[in-house]
Amino acid sequence: MTPQTYLTENKDRFINELLDLLRIPSISADPAYKESVFKTADEVKKRLIEAGADNVEICQTKGYPVVYGEKIISPSSPTVLVYGHYDVQPPDPLDLWTSPPFEPVIKDEKIYARGACDDKGQMYMHVKAFELMMRTNTLPCNIKFMIEGEEEVGSDNLGTFVKANKDRLKADVVLISDTGMIANDIPSITVGLRGLCYMEVEVTGPNRDLHSGIYGGAVANPINILCEMITSLHDKDNKVNILGFYDKVQVLSAEERAEMAKAPFSLDEYKKHLDLSDIHGETGYSTNERVSIRPTLDVNGIWGGYTGEGAKTVIASKAYAKISMRLVPDQNPEEVKELFTKHFLSIAPKSVKVKVTPHHGGDAAVTPTDSIAYQAASKAMETTFGKKPIPQRTGGSIPIVALFEKELGLKTVLFGFGLDSDAIHSPNEHYGVFNYLKGIETIPHFFKNFAEMSK
Ligand code: BES
Ligand code: MN
Ligand code: MN
């Protein structure tokens, strides 16, 4: 049977299997879902075995396990290491979902569920593409799967796993579907990811919550102070106002920027899609540049004081914020963490105490376009989309990409089939049935091209 016939005959089952996987709430951030996360790992193991993988193993870590599996066809064939993650983001705010996040439904040719695109849907394309190659006798490379369960919480234990399994993970290239493309009729391949430095701050004023009439005006209100401190983190050009923040930022040449500007983009559609009257960002850079080659600082959450029903006249004792910085090549997350901490403590007035705690971080990454693997991916997309994909940098982070390079000396191909509009991490996350099936169709072409071009 040809791969194409196999896909046509099995596509309904491929979809239903994904729906089953999406029913398990593998939320790695919330300890209440611990059992479900472990159960998802078991399920992934089962699916890899069914698809035809050997030596499938649940590898325990200090956190959630990594699922490993492989098919070695010949020691002389090239080896592709497929990475993905089976954990998902928390679904809240729940009331904004039009259908429950863990009861997947197909509406308008799209699968709605938490994890539909990020990353269960995209990860599972590889399992099904592998099944297809096994059943049609067309697997031309060795394949190794490494599917983790802590990506959405910073992959804390992955470094240890990779270092301890260097031999087992030996490969020629890493293949990851955990990013997006420009549009269903404009294929693209991601060639850059930003890094991340995530911090939490706590501002303490008086030692207890106070009556805002009795004390108001005479003591520092930590919420007011925190807001002032946060405001001062950007200057009038929307640049990050932290000493040394831009020191190591890799600067792109005018040619590189001109090349980037060729990618199709409509500012009107962008604004319309987000219901915005205007955009906002660093002076001197385009929207695409702002979300890919420039670093940023954003408050991800801020809280303190009274937020319940009605009104309470109070000066809170404490105020908090979670602040993340997206980094670009050559910025070091550890250094940025130090710079931020030093700066944030230095701008605190004497009337409050400030505590700064780091969360996770990760390096930015740029992947090559002149490699055999990139060419194999580009040709694969050209075959199935009928158009040559555009290389494009993106703003999200997948810290493992830099880690694979550092620990295993491996380059990655970011073979994503999602869309920015898929609402990953947001309510009503979805993944196009077209995208899911197109991924399953395109991946075997990558393997075929990579095997041929590696000869
Ligand atoms: N799949 C995303 C990253 C992504 C999405 C990159 C779309 C490019 C385009 C990944 O699951 C993710 O959410 N990463 C986190 C970082 C992580 C350290 C928590 C992110 O980018 O916020
Ligand atoms: Mn992801
Ligand atoms: Mn994610």
Side-chain angles (χ1 to χ4, degrees), residues 85 87 117-119 151-152 177-179 397-398 424-425:
H85 61 95
D87 65 322
C117 172
D118 184 13
D119 181 42
E151 198 278 341
E152 298 293 8
S177 296
D178 195 20
T179 51
S397 308
I398 309 179
I424 66 169
H425 294 207

Side-chain angles (χ1 to χ4, degrees), residues 126-346:
H126 286 271
V127 181
K128 293 299 99 178
F130 170 60
E131 176 197 310
L132 179 152
M133 291 187 280
M134 288 297 287
R135 302 287 192 274
T136 57
N137 270 315
T138 54
L139 180 68
C141 303
N142 301 317
I143 183 166
K144 296 178 173 180
F145 286 94
M146 176 185 157
I147 316 293
E148 73 149 318
E150 297 189 301
E151 198 278 341
E152 298 293 8
V153 287
S155 305
D156 279 348
N157 300 294
L158 209 61
T160 314
F161 178 83
V162 170
K163 282 180 201 145
N165 288 276
K166 282 191 176 174
D167 245 13
R168 182 149 63 157
L169 298 175
K170 259 201 184 115
D172 295 286
V173 71
V174 180
L175 187 62
I176 304 179
S177 296
D178 195 20
T179 51
M181 47 182 199
I182 297 174
N184 283 354
D185 58 353
I186 313 173
S188 61
I189 296 178
T190 302
V191 291
L193 295 159
R194 286 194 286 192
L196 186 68
C197 174
Y198 204 113
M199 311 292 289
E200 184 162 334
V201 299
E202 179 193 287
V203 176
T204 308
N207 60 2
R208 60 190 166 90
D209 287 8
L210 302 174
H211 188 289
S212 66
I214 299 178
Y215 290 98
V219 297
N221 177 329
I223 302 177
N224 293 7
I225 302 279
L226 176 59
C227 290
E228 273 175 41
M229 291 172 75
I230 286 172
T231 304
S232 78
L233 295 177
H234 286 99
D235 70 12
K236 60 175 193 339
D237 292 320
N238 290 316
K239 282 196 190 297
V240 178
N241 210 2
I242 295 176
L243 199 69
F245 185 77
Y246 290 96
D247 283 2
K248 298 214 168 154
V249 167
Q250 199 178 87
V251 178
L252 268 72
S253 66
E255 291 76 43
E256 284 172 302
R257 290 179 66 185
E259 194 54 42
M260 275 185 72
K262 286 187 193 157
F265 176 76
S266 156
L267 195 56
D268 280 338
E269 269 172 43
Y270 187 82
K271 288 194 281 194
K272 205 168 131 204
H273 187 72
L274 299 173
D275 208 359
L276 290 170
S277 323
D278 203 358
I279 47 162
H280 178 98
E282 187 181 354
T283 306
Y285 294 92
S286 71
T287 296
N288 266 331
E289 290 173 334
R290 286 169 178 170
V291 297
S292 62
I293 60 164
R294 298 299 294 167
T296 58
L297 180 149
D298 275 293
V299 178
N300 298 100
I302 181 163
W303 69 104
Y306 183 71
T307 56
E309 285 292 314
K312 180 185 179 191
T313 46
V314 67
I315 292 174
S317 168
K318 286 176 189 290
Y320 307 82
K322 291 186 194 277
I323 298 173
S324 70
M325 289 158 278
R326 293 283 169 176
L327 311 178
V328 298
D330 297 343
Q331 277 184 302
N332 177 319
E334 284 299 314
E335 276 173 32
V336 171
K337 179 178 102 187
E338 298 303 325
L339 290 175
F340 177 90
T341 306
K342 219 171 114 189
H343 177 83
F344 205 73
L345 294 174
S346 80

